[in-house]
Amino acid sequence: MADATLNATVRTEFGKGASRRMRRDGNVPAVMYGHGADPIHLSLPGHQTALALRISNALLEIVTDGDTQLALVKQIQRDAIRGSVEHVDLLIVRRGEKVVVEVPVTVVGDAAPETVVMVDAQTVSIEVEATDIPESIEISIEGLEAGSQILAKDVKLPEGATIHGDEELLVINITHQVTEEQLEADLADDTEGAEPAEAADESGEEG
């Protein structure tokens, strides 16, 4: 099922000037390609497009002149200052076709007391059917002790999805929480270790 349906217009004007005029009119330039077809340059409705792009890896139904095409958002260009959508790349997909996407990780649960949870990978790369892309992947850390690690191969994926790429990728790392006493002790050790060097420097200056 698509995340949104957008009524698009095929573009007949190109270049920076045409794109600026399109944006002033509240539309977004886009290009749709894939499956050996020639790239199609489109104008998308700005507000509806911005809403649809709130979903990561959004799957869209693009309607042009009565023809409907299923497309996956592959790249979004945004204005560096305002954050508004400047251009969108769309990849044509078919129902049942598998695609490779980066899916955000969501951590749920609480690790054991006096631990620190480090999220080393904010996303994991998976291969999944284009119509079944999860918005995020939940990883439970409930009760995990310091020293626990969750690798990409340990992540529970939706049915039909598989890890794409490095299965040994470190996703979650649970470490011991450093107490205030330990921090003070480490600082004291560092200070003591620095004193001989400082004394040597002073001796050298006097000589």
Side-chain angles (χ1 to χ4, degrees), residues 110-132:
D110 296 310
E114 299 182 355
T115 59
V116 176
V117 180
M118 306 293 291
V119 182
D120 281 54
Q122 299 292 333
T123 65
V124 291
S125 181
I126 66 172
E127 186 175 30
V128 64
E129 286 193 12
T131 52
D132 290 327

Side-chain angles (χ1 to χ4, degrees), residues 95-116:
R95 294 189 185 278
E97 175 185 1
K98 286 198 170 184
V99 294
V100 175
V101 291
E102 294 284 335
V103 179
V105 166
T106 301
V107 178
V108 296
D110 296 310
E114 299 182 355
T115 59
V116 176

Side-chain angles (χ1 to χ4, degrees), residues 49-83:
T49 300
L51 291 176
L53 296 184
R54 291 180 178 178
I55 300 173
S56 61
N57 301 306
L59 185 66
L60 307 176
E61 282 187 343
I62 305 297
V63 182
T64 54
D65 298 326
D67 179 54
T68 301
Q69 188 71 256
L70 203 60
L72 180 67
V73 175
K74 290 300 292 181
Q75 187 175 14
I76 306 169
Q77 296 177 21
R78 295 183 183 275
D79 182 273
I81 298 174
R82 293 172 297 185

Side-chain angles (χ1 to χ4, degrees), residues 2-206:
D3 296 306
T5 299
L6 299 178
N7 291 305
T9 303
V10 177
R11 294 164 56 192
T12 55
E13 292 185 310
F14 306 97
K16 293 182 178 179
S19 295
R20 281 196 295 267
R21 288 193 296 273
M22 191 182 307
R23 296 185 192 103
R24 281 201 301 267
D25 292 337
N27 298 311
V28 175
V31 62
M32 186 168 61
Y33 53 86
H35 284 278
D38 292 333
I40 304 172
H41 297 273
L42 303 170
S43 172
L44 302 177
H47 181 65
Q48 292 92 325
T49 300
L51 291 176
L53 296 184
R54 291 180 178 178
I55 300 173
S56 61
N57 301 306
L59 185 66
L60 307 176
E61 282 187 343
I62 305 297
V63 182
T64 54
D65 298 326
D67 179 54
T68 301
Q69 188 71 256
L70 203 60
L72 180 67
V73 175
K74 290 300 292 181
Q75 187 175 14
I76 306 169
Q77 296 177 21
R78 295 183 183 275
D79 182 273
I81 298 174
R82 293 172 297 185
S84 56
V85 179
E86 295 280 286
H87 190 276
V88 180
D89 282 15
L90 302 169
L91 177 66
I92 297 171
V93 295
R94 305 280 188 255
R95 294 189 185 278
E97 175 185 1
K98 286 198 170 184
V99 294
V100 175
V101 291
E102 294 284 335
V103 179
V105 166
T106 301
V107 178
V108 296
D110 296 310
E114 299 182 355
T115 59
V116 176
V117 180
M118 306 293 291
V119 182
D120 281 54
Q122 299 292 333
T123 65
V124 291
S125 181
I126 66 172
E127 186 175 30
V128 64
E129 286 193 12
T131 52
D132 290 327
I133 300 173
E135 188 170 343
S136 65
I137 293 176
E138 287 191 352
I139 300 179
S140 175
I141 58 168
E142 186 64 38
L144 291 184
E145 301 285 346
S148 300
Q149 292 186 330
I150 299 176
L151 307 180
K153 65 182 179 182
D154 304 320
V155 176
K156 185 177 181 181
L157 300 176
E159 185 177 353
T162 56
I163 288 292
H164 183 269
D166 184 9
E167 293 188 343
E168 299 299 319
L169 175 71
L170 178 61
V171 182
I172 305 289
N173 190 24
I174 312 294
T175 62
H176 283 286
Q177 185 179 47
V178 179
T179 65
E180 187 175 343
E181 290 77 10
Q182 288 173 313
L183 282 174
E184 291 176 353
D186 290 342
L187 287 172
D189 290 341
D190 290 342
T191 302
E192 291 173 4
E195 286 177 355
E198 291 173 359
D201 290 342
E202 291 174 1
S203 175
E205 289 174 3
E206 292 174 359

